Amino acid sequence: MTFQTDQSGINSLAGFAYQIKVFAYYAFDLKEDMQVEFETIEDVNLKAIAPEQIDKHSHKFVCRVTESGVNKAIQVKHTSIGNAVAQQMLLNWILLEHSSHNVEEYILFTDKIYQNDGDIFNKDAETLHKIVVESDMQRNATISKVKCLYEADYNGFEKVYNQIQSKFEFIDLEDIDAKTDDKASLHFRKAANLIVFGQRMNEFLQHITFKILNAIENKEPYILTYQEFINMVEDISKRFTQEVTTPSYSNFKKVNRIDLKDSKLSTSREFMQLKSCGLPDYLLKQHLLYGMYYYETALKYMENNRVNKIDEIEETTFEGFQNVKFTLMKNETDTPYNRLEKTQKYPNSYAENDQIKYGSSIHLTKEGIGENQISWEDDENAQY
């Protein structure tokens, strides 16, 4: 049973997603007085980077495992490693070795499918130092920072280079998902129920994705301590059982994006029905996200053979809509927006949180739902 974020926008960012998987891989090694960190080694602001550009900045992210003041610095590469990439890595590590951090190991972590050989020291210290000295890059570039430190100090440069080489470890891992599953099997009780285990793993990965994205946007490292890790495991284990399925809505919202310019979305029935309610764009996105969240939760119910749960939620939602529509017509206040608002306020004890309740009503406005289809504006009046 391998784990991935559920249709998350982050999945298309192969390099960044792989770095998060490596973070998860090391998280399940945590013991007391240990922590695993995800941080940027140069200035990165995800708010200013288009999603499709994030992978281009992957060399600026580093994972670090800390225990009693001793660090393992882990550079993750989900690509073939050429000379330029190897050089950039070494320069980053030279700056780190010069810092106050006590680094015990420098680890290059990569996927076996790329057949990298781990030979990043293909330039000797003298050759690399010459490249650094002759560089005319801008002052904030990594190579310029190294030049500032060691331009006139080849002996110091060579010493740091040799120290890094002596501490270097190459990890060429095959199938990180399966390896992480093995590490997590006791924490998330893999033997008890494979499906629930998979859902817990998905939620864990989505949660740390949210935390990492939030930290980077705030230009802060994300630090996961052992105690926080254990609390996270406990929380997720309570929210995902054979009887209970409650994904975190706030995390789901953070790692999933709604693009109103997407032609498939903007021509969908649920979108057009919401438009008829006169909602501004930010509320259109919010309500469409409710529908996505409900759909993902319903898939988890189906995985657990709890189709009856979906039936109860949707039947209750539809009956609530029918009652609301009748009352509005009697009161001569029947408008698309009033139908939406009153239906979402209608009680539904089968839904485990409000977002599931709201999302079920959006889901039922989709095309092809059948006899339980909801309309905020009746089709004969709709301007599709």
Side-chain angles (χ1 to χ4, degrees):
M1 176 69 67
T2 59
F3 68 99
Q4 301 173 19
T5 47
D6 296 323
Q7 295 189 354
S8 161
I10 207 68
N11 276 347
S12 63
L13 310 175
F16 190 63
Y18 189 75
Q19 288 178 319
I20 293 171
K21 287 185 176 187
V22 171
F23 184 95
Y25 174 85
Y26 280 101
F28 287 99
D29 287 335
L30 285 174
K31 298 178 177 61
E32 287 193 56
D33 299 322
M34 289 180 67
Q35 62 189 39
V36 58
E37 306 170 11
F38 190 102
E39 64 178 301
T40 58
I41 50 180
E42 294 180 37
D43 186 33
V44 175
N45 183 359
L46 289 188
K47 290 179 181 176
I49 301 175
E52 62 273 13
Q53 299 293 314
I54 294 178
D55 273 347
K56 294 182 180 179
H57 296 260
S58 63
H59 64 282
K60 297 182 179 180
F61 303 120
V62 66
C63 183
R64 181 179 293 144
V65 177
T66 302
E67 181 178 11
S68 303
V70 176
N71 298 280
K72 293 182 181 180
I74 305 154
Q75 184 67 66
V76 180
K77 291 297 175 188
H78 195 249
T79 184
S80 297
I81 300 171
N83 290 336
V85 173
Q87 179 175 300
Q88 182 67 36
M89 222 182 316
L90 274 174
L91 294 174
N92 286 333
W93 283 348
I94 286 167
L95 291 178
L96 184 56
E97 184 70 9
H98 179 80
S99 73
S100 59
H101 294 290
N102 179 19
V103 180
E104 183 182 62
E105 285 185 70
Y106 289 95
I107 299 172
L108 170 57
F109 196 112
T110 185
D111 194 311
K112 189 175 280 292
I113 63 171
Y114 293 106
Q115 299 181 332
N116 291 308
D117 59 13
D119 183 19
I120 66 168
F121 299 92
N122 48 17
K123 296 184 183 77
D124 59 28
E126 186 176 357
T127 302
L128 185 58
H129 184 261
K130 183 179 179 182
I131 292 171
V132 169
V133 170
E134 293 177 354
S135 169
D136 58 357
M137 295 285 286
Q138 57 190 9
R139 290 182 61 187
N140 63 343
T142 303
I143 194 168
S144 299
K145 294 176 183 177
V146 175
K147 180 178 179 179
C148 182
L149 290 173
Y150 294 109
E151 182 175 15
D153 183 14
Y154 171 72
N155 289 335
F157 182 90
E158 183 183 34
K159 180 180 178 182
V160 168
Y161 179 98
N162 291 336
Q163 286 172 338
I164 293 169
Q165 192 168 22
S166 69
K167 299 175 184 179
F168 175 71
E169 180 183 359
F170 176 58
I171 297 179
D172 188 27
L173 197 68
E174 184 174 16
D175 198 347
I176 190 171
D177 293 331
K179 298 292 195 304
T180 308
D181 275 7
D182 290 342
K183 287 186 174 190
S185 60
L186 184 59
H187 293 85
F188 284 137
R189 305 296 187 264
K190 184 177 182 178
N193 187 304
L194 271 176
I195 292 171
V196 172
F197 171 78
Q199 292 176 349
R200 289 171 174 175
M201 289 296 288
N202 275 327
E203 185 74 358
F204 178 78
L205 188 63
Q206 183 160 275
H207 183 75
I208 61 171
T209 298
F210 159 72
K211 291 290 189 181
I212 287 170
L213 287 172
N214 190 60
I216 293 172
E217 286 184 355
N218 292 325
K219 298 184 179 180
E220 299 171 345
Y222 171 52
I223 299 174
L224 179 63
T225 66
Y226 172 75
Q227 188 59 54
E228 290 170 53
F229 169 73
I230 292 300
N231 291 343
M232 192 186 302
V233 168
E234 288 293 312
D235 172 63
I236 291 171
S237 297
K238 288 175 183 176
R239 289 192 287 109
F240 288 87
T241 69
Q242 287 181 270
E243 294 75 32
V244 177
T245 304
T246 315
S248 167
Y249 173 71
S250 62
N251 290 353
F252 181 87
K253 180 178 180 180
K254 181 68 178 180
V255 298
N256 288 274
R257 293 181 173 88
I258 297 288
D259 182 4
L260 297 180
K261 295 178 182 178
D262 182 338
S263 60
K264 185 177 179 181
L265 179 64
S266 62
T267 57
S268 66
R269 189 177 190 275
E270 60 267 35
F271 176 85
M272 300 305 295
Q273 282 286 314
L274 286 168
K275 284 286 283 186
S276 72
C277 299
L279 299 180
D281 283 357
Y282 75 94
L283 286 181
L284 277 172
K285 290 181 179 181
Q286 184 181 95
H287 283 76
L288 288 167
L289 200 67
Y290 291 153
M292 286 174 58
Y293 172 73
Y294 170 73
Y295 177 73
E296 293 294 342
T297 304
L299 289 178
K300 290 178 169 62
Y301 292 144
M302 293 173 67
E303 287 175 346
N304 279 345
N305 295 317
R306 298 172 65 208
V307 177
N308 63 309
K309 178 79 168 181
I310 301 171
D311 293 340
E312 298 291 3
I313 291 173
E314 294 184 4
E315 196 65 42
T316 303
T317 297
F318 181 71
E319 289 182 355
F321 166 73
Q322 288 181 309
N323 287 322
V324 163
K325 182 178 176 180
F326 177 77
T327 301
L328 292 173
M329 291 175 67
K330 287 281 286 182
N331 295 338
E332 298 183 350
T333 56
D334 186 23
T335 66
Y337 178 76
N338 284 345
R339 288 187 186 184
L340 169 67
E341 182 193 29
K342 300 300 182 185
T343 299
Q344 291 190 335
K345 287 182 177 179
Y346 207 86
N348 189 335
S349 61
Y350 292 101
E352 288 162 335
N353 60 34
D354 285 342
Q355 288 78 21
I356 292 174
K357 181 177 73 169
Y358 302 156
S360 66
S361 69
I362 305 304
H363 177 75
L364 290 179
T365 64
K366 285 187 172 184
E367 199 72 57
I369 289 297
E371 61 183 13
N372 280 2
Q373 188 180 66
I374 284 175
S375 296
W376 311 129
E377 183 171 40
D378 292 329
D379 286 337
E380 57 267 26
N381 302 321
Q383 309 258 327
Y384 295 158

